[in-house]
Amino acid sequence: MNIRPSAAIRQNYNDIADMCRKTAEPIFLTKNGEGDLVVMDIETYNRREKMLKLREELLAVEEDRVRGSKGYSVDEVAAMMRSAIKEAAGHGTAE
């Protein structure tokens, strides 16, 4: 875990930015010895946001399953995908 005083961001922005990119980890900034901000590079932020969104979606699906919502077998999903591909291929050609 990288912890730096908040003054470090003003004094060493490029070093902090490089460290964020190299480690792909957030840097925690303190103010008066207390946690204040978290800084991370945009790629790390986007990756974490995508992961959180995926986890939320998986949790929602699992909650639906636990409540008894109908699911699909592998064979049913494969058939639906084949049907969608055939439909897309049919609409994508000029006849």
Side-chain angles (χ1 to χ4, degrees):
M1 181 182 318
N2 290 312
I3 302 173
R4 302 284 187 265
S6 61
I9 196 85
R10 289 187 301 265
Q11 297 167 355
N12 304 310
Y13 177 86
N14 290 333
D15 293 340
I16 298 288
D18 288 342
M19 188 183 309
C20 285
R21 287 186 203 95
K22 286 178 185 173
T23 64
E25 292 290 327
I27 295 179
F28 298 86
L29 300 177
T30 62
K31 184 175 182 180
N32 298 325
E34 299 284 327
D36 187 41
L37 298 172
V38 176
V39 178
M40 65 179 70
D41 69 287
I42 196 74
E43 288 182 30
T44 301
Y45 173 80
N46 287 333
R47 188 172 52 253
R48 286 177 182 233
E49 287 297 307
K50 287 177 185 176
M51 185 174 47
L52 286 172
K53 183 177 180 185
L54 177 60
R55 285 182 179 179
E56 288 174 3
E57 291 171 1
L58 290 171
L59 180 60
V61 169
E62 181 63 12
E63 288 172 345
D64 286 346
R65 187 193 65 79
V66 168
R67 284 194 291 270
S69 294
K70 181 186 179 298
Y72 298 97
S73 70
V74 171
D75 291 335
E76 290 172 318
V77 171
M80 287 187 284
M81 292 184 74
R82 280 192 296 274
S83 175
I85 290 168
K86 284 180 184 177
E87 184 178 327
H91 287 106
T93 59
E95 295 181 31

